[in-house]
Amino acid sequence: MMYQLGKKKVARDYMQRALGLDPNHTENVRNFAQWSFEDGHFKMARDLSERALKTKHDAESARLVRQAAPTSNWLVAMFLRIGLLFIAPFKGRKTAAKMMLGFVLGLWILCIPLFFISNLVGIIGVTVVLALVVVAGLISNGIRAKRQLGVEAPKAPVKQVAKPVIQVPPAKKVTETKPSKPITREQNREVNPPLAKKPTKINPKIFIVPAIILAVIGFGLMEDNSADDHDSYSYNDMSGAEEADHFFTIRNSLENEEDIAQGDIIDESFYPVFEKLMSQPKLKEQFSGAYTTGEYLDDGELQYLKIEDYSGNLLFLTEFKDYKLHGIYGTGWNDTEAGKARYTELLQAFDEELGISDGVLEEAHMKLIQASFASNDNNHAAALTMVGEDFQDTFTDMMNDDAVKNQFIASTNFVFIDDSDYQYLKMTDNNDGEPLIAQFEDKNLVYMYGADWSEDDEDQARYEEILSDLDWEDSL
């Protein structure tokens, strides 16, 4: 009765005392075996079940043994204990089948956050749970099969009946029996000491199970938030966070061929220009493979992010207005004179505000100059602003030679070296052609050297000398 009312500790104490007085009382042994199993004390349940079977070999004792025997395997015992956690709040007899059902449903609930990571991960989790249940079932059936329990009715021994012999029993002396002494209260307390009333304790499972579920759900959501893109790891803690998030949203939409909510993240005035740019496969591929390290510039009305590829090479600058993409500046992105001038101006602003790694401005200027002379436009005024004044006329004459111009435009692979006085770009094409040497001072192109570019012996000697120095420094 105490056990059914939920006072399991009190019931177990009484039962242990009862078994202390009569260890082979069949009904008490069976009840205690069932209680031990339901409380997760599987070792005690197995021992008591075996004792019940020895005491009385019937269907109920055999059921208790079949129920408890598989728990001798650690995997089965672990699964049943986990299932017991999830069915603990429910009333009624807790059988092995109910515990295994609790294990399945409980772990399936814990698998729900896995679907936030991806459907595949969630399906794998559910499948693993089912596979574990099948394995536990096979182990349990194997252990039960080894026992081969059966219940047989006891056979009465056949006795031969002898011929009856009538004998007169001897007369017995009637002895006077003395009444037994009554049990005193002190003797009764020695056999059955009073149960000390213990303070009620809160079952820790009430807190442990919800904590585990919440922890798993929180971990799954955290992983889901970080799974979209590893590049946005720190934008919530820096200026430009919202602009960076919008950039990655646009980039991921392009990668996944999804529609872009233009009114929310792309300015309506820029959207037609953006669509036209994305119609060019080269630019679309460049945008899809870009990311930002969070270098952010705010000039008040407009905000800018520097965009690079995964090798750290500058690709372009994105312009935002009210957190929406408002423009893109870079080689091939805005080849108008105003666009090129703005790109150069922004690069210098980034350099002054944040400091740009060596060679970025020189490479950006070189790409703009190359793009200008590769176009059909004969007006190279914007490009020539990145060329030193003393070298502008000489450089223009060099570009009038088609062979020299074509080699210059095709040399798009850069290696930057700084020797403190000047900065150099070693420029090569993709066809193993002769390298070119671009000499910079204060971010401006001040001279170009190339094999057979000049008939001046001093220029050729200087070209060989610089090339040798660059090769040596590049090898360090």
Side-chain angles (χ1 to χ4, degrees):
M1 182 62 72
M2 287 288 191
Y3 193 86
Q4 293 174 353
L5 293 174
K7 298 181 179 180
K8 297 181 180 180
K9 185 72 169 72
V10 176
R12 289 177 68 88
D13 287 342
Y14 274 121
M15 185 62 73
Q16 285 177 335
R17 290 173 185 175
L19 291 176
L21 295 174
D22 187 358
N24 295 320
H25 189 284
T26 304
E27 198 61 32
N28 287 344
V29 173
R30 286 174 178 174
N31 287 335
F32 203 22
Q34 182 64 37
W35 296 354
S36 299
F37 183 80
E38 293 182 12
D39 291 340
H41 303 298
F42 297 138
K43 177 66 168 61
M44 184 178 291
R46 292 196 302 273
D47 294 341
L48 291 170
S49 299
E50 295 290 348
R51 188 195 300 180
L53 188 65
K54 292 177 181 178
T55 304
K56 188 174 183 180
H57 196 292
D58 61 0
E60 178 61 17
S61 297
R63 183 194 70 80
L64 289 171
V65 173
R66 283 195 297 269
Q67 174 180 260
T71 61
S72 60
N73 180 271
W74 69 270
L75 187 66
V76 176
M78 181 181 69
F79 290 173
L80 293 179
R81 285 194 178 96
I82 294 174
L84 190 59
L85 289 175
F86 291 98
I87 65 172
F90 301 99
K91 294 182 179 180
R93 174 177 285 185
K94 296 175 176 60
T95 62
K98 290 181 181 179
M99 292 181 189
M100 196 59 71
L101 180 61
F103 171 79
V104 173
L105 296 180
L107 288 196
W108 276 359
I109 292 172
L110 297 181
C111 285
I112 291 175
L114 298 179
F115 287 92
F116 289 98
I117 301 174
S118 74
N119 289 335
L120 179 61
V121 174
I123 292 171
I124 291 174
V126 171
T127 305
V128 169
V129 173
L130 287 176
L132 292 175
V133 172
V134 171
V135 171
L138 293 174
I139 295 173
S140 299
N141 292 337
I143 294 174
R144 292 192 187 104
K146 289 180 180 179
R147 290 304 310 269
Q148 296 181 348
L149 293 172
V151 180
E152 299 179 358
K155 296 181 180 180
V158 179
K159 295 182 179 179
Q160 293 181 352
V161 180
K163 292 181 179 180
V165 177
I166 300 174
Q167 294 180 351
V168 178
K172 295 181 179 180
K173 293 181 180 180
V174 178
T175 58
E176 186 178 353
T177 59
K178 296 180 180 180
S180 60
K181 295 181 180 180
I183 299 174
T184 64
R185 182 170 180 173
E186 287 72 15
Q187 290 173 329
N188 182 55
R189 288 175 67 89
E190 290 178 2
V191 177
N192 294 307
L195 295 173
K197 189 175 180 180
K198 297 180 180 179
T200 304
K201 293 184 179 180
I202 299 176
N203 191 339
K205 297 175 185 176
I206 298 176
F207 302 101
I208 294 174
V209 175
I212 292 173
I213 295 174
L214 291 175
V216 173
I217 292 175
F219 177 77
L221 292 176
M222 179 183 69
E223 289 293 317
D224 181 63
N225 290 334
S226 63
D228 288 339
D229 200 287
H230 68 278
D231 301 322
S232 56
Y233 60 94
S234 60
Y235 294 117
N236 290 332
D237 300 325
M238 62 174 70
S239 299
E242 194 160 349
E243 289 87 348
D245 287 340
H246 285 180
F247 167 76
F248 284 117
T249 300
I250 299 170
R251 194 200 74 172
N252 294 339
S253 297
L254 285 174
E255 284 185 323
N256 300 324
E257 301 294 337
E258 298 173 350
D259 293 333
I260 302 173
Q262 62 182 81
D264 297 330
I265 54 180
I266 300 180
D267 192 89
E268 293 181 357
S269 63
F270 181 64
Y271 191 78
V273 179
F274 183 77
E275 278 192 318
K276 187 176 180 181
L277 291 171
M278 291 301 101
S279 65
Q280 302 180 44
K282 183 178 179 181
L283 295 182
K284 183 177 180 180
E285 181 183 359
Q286 193 179 105
F287 194 97
S288 300
Y291 85 110
T292 175
T293 57
E295 294 188 35
Y296 175 77
L297 183 67
D298 189 350
D299 72 354
E301 183 179 356
L302 301 171
Q303 295 77 39
Y304 300 90
L305 285 174
K306 192 173 80 168
I307 308 300
E308 300 177 345
D309 62 16
Y310 285 99
S311 299
N313 299 316
L314 177 65
L315 295 178
F316 50 84
L317 303 176
T318 51
E319 179 181 81
F320 290 86
K321 184 176 182 180
D322 297 329
Y323 307 111
K324 300 177 183 179
L325 184 63
H326 187 260
I328 301 177
Y329 297 98
T331 306
W333 292 91
N334 188 338
D335 289 333
T336 64
E337 296 301 323
K340 294 176 182 177
R342 181 60 175 161
Y343 181 49
T344 304
E345 180 183 345
L346 289 172
L347 286 174
Q348 293 174 348
F350 266 101
D351 188 26
E352 293 172 0
E353 185 75 15
L354 304 172
I356 294 181
S357 58
D358 291 342
V360 172
L361 281 173
E362 287 81 359
E363 290 183 15
H365 286 178
M366 180 56 70
K367 289 179 181 178
L368 288 173
I369 296 169
Q370 287 175 316
S372 178
F373 282 92
S375 66
N376 295 324
D377 188 3
N378 292 323
N379 184 6
H380 306 296
L384 291 175
T385 60
M386 291 169 270
V387 180
E389 292 184 2
D390 295 339
F391 183 57
Q392 288 181 4
D393 293 337
T394 304
F395 181 71
T396 303
D397 292 339
M398 288 180 174
M399 293 300 103
N400 289 331
D401 186 325
D402 289 340
V404 170
K405 177 181 174 181
N406 291 336
Q407 185 184 5
F408 173 76
I409 294 171
S411 301
T412 56
N413 302 315
F414 304 133
V415 175
F416 175 80
I417 295 179
D418 188 349
D419 74 350
S420 71
D421 292 330
Y422 294 100
Q423 295 77 43
Y424 297 94
L425 283 180
K426 179 183 175 183
M427 305 167 56
T428 55
D429 58 21
N430 295 321
N431 298 318
D432 297 326
E434 291 289 338
L436 304 179
I437 303 298
Q439 181 177 325
F440 287 84
E441 184 178 19
D442 296 331
K443 315 301 180 185
N444 291 327
L445 181 64
V446 295
Y447 208 78
M448 287 289 307
Y449 299 93
D452 302 325
W453 270 35
S454 173
E455 296 179 357
D456 191 335
D457 292 338
E458 291 185 3
D459 279 356
Q460 289 302 311
R462 181 60 177 158
Y463 169 73
E464 297 292 342
E465 179 185 354
I466 295 174
L467 187 61
S468 176
D469 292 341
L470 291 179
D471 288 342
W472 180 78
E473 290 192 31
D474 189 30
S475 66
L476 294 178

